[in-house]
Amino acid sequence: MIILEDEMSKQKLTTMGVWIELQEPSEEYTAQEIVDNANKMLNKLGVKGNRFAVNKERKYGTHYLHVQSDGQFSYMESHGHWFNLEYLARENNNA
């Protein structure tokens, strides 16, 4: 099942959240460079794996995909995703 990110972002958050939005690719920065740096940032905050990917097929007119821990993905219409702020803020995330 394909889930459009816009539908998911309308769901009520059950924890404190933080919105992380990726900029549009440009002449200065490719979509891959933006995704690579966003994933590095999330890894430093204790998130395992890559949570952003480039939508190489450009389905639905989006540049980016949000990848869940189980490998499923959704198309990010608004270039952003809600993350669990309580998880990201906890101590010893990288331990």
Side-chain angles (χ1 to χ4, degrees):
M1 178 170 101
I2 296 172
I3 299 174
L4 294 177
E5 183 68 22
D6 197 37
E7 295 170 13
M8 293 176 64
S9 65
K10 293 178 185 173
Q11 294 177 357
K12 183 180 178 188
L13 294 177
T14 57
T15 63
M16 284 188 282
V18 60
W19 178 258
I20 298 176
E21 186 167 338
L22 306 181
Q23 72 183 56
E24 286 273 339
S26 65
E27 291 181 16
E28 291 85 23
Y29 304 107
T30 67
Q32 190 62 57
E33 289 172 314
I34 294 165
V35 162
D36 289 346
N37 281 301
N39 285 326
K40 285 178 191 175
M41 178 197 66
L42 289 172
N43 293 158
K44 287 181 180 181
L45 292 171
V47 176
K48 294 185 169 119
N50 293 330
R51 295 311 171 109
F52 293 113
V54 175
N55 181 6
K56 295 184 185 200
E57 298 173 356
R58 287 295 313 268
K59 281 189 178 180
Y60 306 106
T62 63
H63 293 287
Y64 305 112
L65 305 171
H66 172 254
V67 182
Q68 300 175 52
S69 58
D70 62 4
Q72 293 185 358
F73 64 89
S74 57
Y75 295 94
M76 294 172 44
E77 289 186 39
S78 57
H79 302 307
H81 183 76
W82 283 106
F83 286 86
N84 182 330
L85 182 59
E86 293 174 56
Y87 175 83
L88 295 176
R90 74 181 189 184
E91 290 190 37
N92 300 321
N93 251 3
N94 293 315

